[in-house]
Amino acid sequence: MNPSDLTASLYFTAAVRVAADASLTRLLPLDALQRQLAPHEHFSHRILLSLQALGIIEPELSLAHADDWLLSRDWMKYGFDSVAWRIRSAPGDCRRRHDIANEIWSEVDFDDDESLSALLALWEDLALAEVAQYASWLLSKSGYNPEWTYCAIDSLRHSLVMFSVNQVMYLIYLSVRSVATTHQQGGVESARLGLVFASSIASFSGRAKAERWNVRGMTRPAELAMSTISLIFAHEVTRLDDEYLTKSPSLELLRSSMMQHRTIH
């Protein structure tokens, strides 16, 4: 399977499973969904815009279903999350794609590094979205600006090279405590606390690696349910299961996990 087709199929499978209406002809708006499409809203936007760019879906806009965003008159009234999408694939094809996860898994050639690299890239993207979601949630719960997460994206991505999602969640927890201490001491302007948060993650990550910390993984908060694409990726396509959150993304782990499950079954 072509690596780009593999990623697109996973995106479409997740979107159909969580957002398609009963007729399988349209996707409901993100703000009408009962479950999350992806771990972070920006990742959900990316999925929909990617599928639109591939011609698989198109937005339902004003002006008698305008052909493109340039003609839309909804922009003042609605946000991106309120836009519904028409599925341009035939309903029969859509039904096939609804269960395409098992087909993707069965067709992956474990000697084909391109396909496995595509899955690894998706795992890395999902892992970053998972920790970004947790960072925003914890900052908000602690009374701070969840937008500070975006100051720390580079630090979070670098941390995931060495640590699992659950371990990076623990580094985030330590960093929010560090921000709280700094804030209480009054040594830094409130506007700069986001930079303190980002630098704390980089510092804790660097120290943990250099000093060989035994970084414990945080238990996922009950408030943060697993997204649809994460569940499909972890439990249906890669068979990583719990290792999706407890191991740092790697090509070797992907290959061994998928090969082991195929051998057993």
Side-chain angles (χ1 to χ4, degrees):
M1 179 177 287
N2 180 289
S4 296
D5 290 344
L6 188 157
T7 303
S9 294
L10 273 169
Y11 279 7
F12 190 54
T13 299
V16 168
R17 192 171 297 184
V18 74
D21 64 0
S23 66
L24 295 177
T25 59
R26 65 194 294 267
L27 300 178
L28 300 176
L30 290 174
D31 61 10
L33 303 183
Q34 298 299 312
R35 294 174 292 153
Q36 283 186 301
L37 172 56
H40 194 278
E41 62 178 4
H42 286 188
F43 201 111
S44 294
H45 298 166
R46 175 184 175 182
I47 288 174
L48 295 175
L49 291 173
S50 296
L51 294 175
Q52 183 200 10
L54 292 169
I56 296 172
I57 62 174
E58 59 186 10
E60 291 186 343
L61 300 168
S62 57
L63 282 183
H65 303 304
D67 291 334
D68 57 53
W69 296 103
L70 295 175
L71 299 177
S72 172
R73 294 290 175 83
D74 296 332
W75 62 277
M76 282 292 285
K77 187 175 181 182
Y78 301 109
F80 185 92
D81 289 358
S82 298
V83 175
W85 302 79
R86 288 193 299 277
I87 299 173
R88 299 182 65 182
S89 304
D93 185 51
C94 183
R95 290 190 182 93
R96 185 187 68 81
R97 286 177 179 270
H98 189 278
D99 294 316
I100 204 169
N102 285 327
E103 180 180 327
I104 293 171
W105 173 74
S106 64
E107 290 187 359
V108 171
D109 181 356
F110 301 130
D111 293 323
D112 179 8
D113 283 345
E114 285 193 11
S115 293
L116 287 175
S117 293
L119 287 174
L120 176 61
L122 183 52
W123 187 6
E124 291 170 340
D125 282 345
L126 285 168
L128 181 60
E130 299 282 5
V131 296
Q133 178 195 38
Y134 176 74
S136 297
W137 174 83
L138 186 60
L139 284 167
S140 179
K141 185 178 181 181
S142 303
Y144 296 114
N145 187 350
E147 298 293 315
W148 292 349
T149 299
Y150 303 115
C151 299
I153 291 298
D154 288 341
S155 298
L156 292 171
R157 182 181 286 110
H158 183 71
S159 298
L160 287 165
V161 174
M162 299 170 283
F163 302 107
S164 71
V165 168
N166 284 359
Q167 288 175 316
V168 174
M169 285 166 56
Y170 180 65
L171 299 178
I172 292 169
Y173 169 76
L174 294 179
S175 299
V176 171
R177 287 206 315 182
S178 179
V179 167
T181 299
T182 302
H183 188 199
Q184 291 167 3
Q185 292 174 345
V188 176
E189 297 178 11
S190 295
R192 294 182 59 82
L193 286 175
L195 298 177
V196 173
F197 176 63
S199 62
S200 293
I201 291 175
S203 176
F204 283 125
S205 177
R207 286 179 56 194
K209 180 183 179 182
E211 299 171 12
R212 299 176 182 272
W213 288 6
N214 182 20
V215 181
R216 69 184 182 91
M218 292 287 288
T219 301
R220 188 182 186 87
E223 296 93 327
L224 300 182
M226 287 277 283
S227 69
T228 299
I229 192 169
S230 296
L231 289 170
I232 293 171
F233 181 83
H235 300 298
E236 298 180 41
V237 174
T238 64
R239 292 351 196 239
L240 286 163
D241 297 329
D242 291 344
E243 290 185 331
Y244 166 71
L245 296 174
T246 61
K247 300 290 185 182
S248 179
S250 76
L251 204 61
E252 294 73 20
L253 184 56
L254 265 178
R255 180 181 282 109
S256 64
S257 177
M258 296 178 75
M259 286 184 67
Q260 180 182 17
H261 197 278
R262 184 178 293 181
T263 300
I264 293 172
H265 292 78

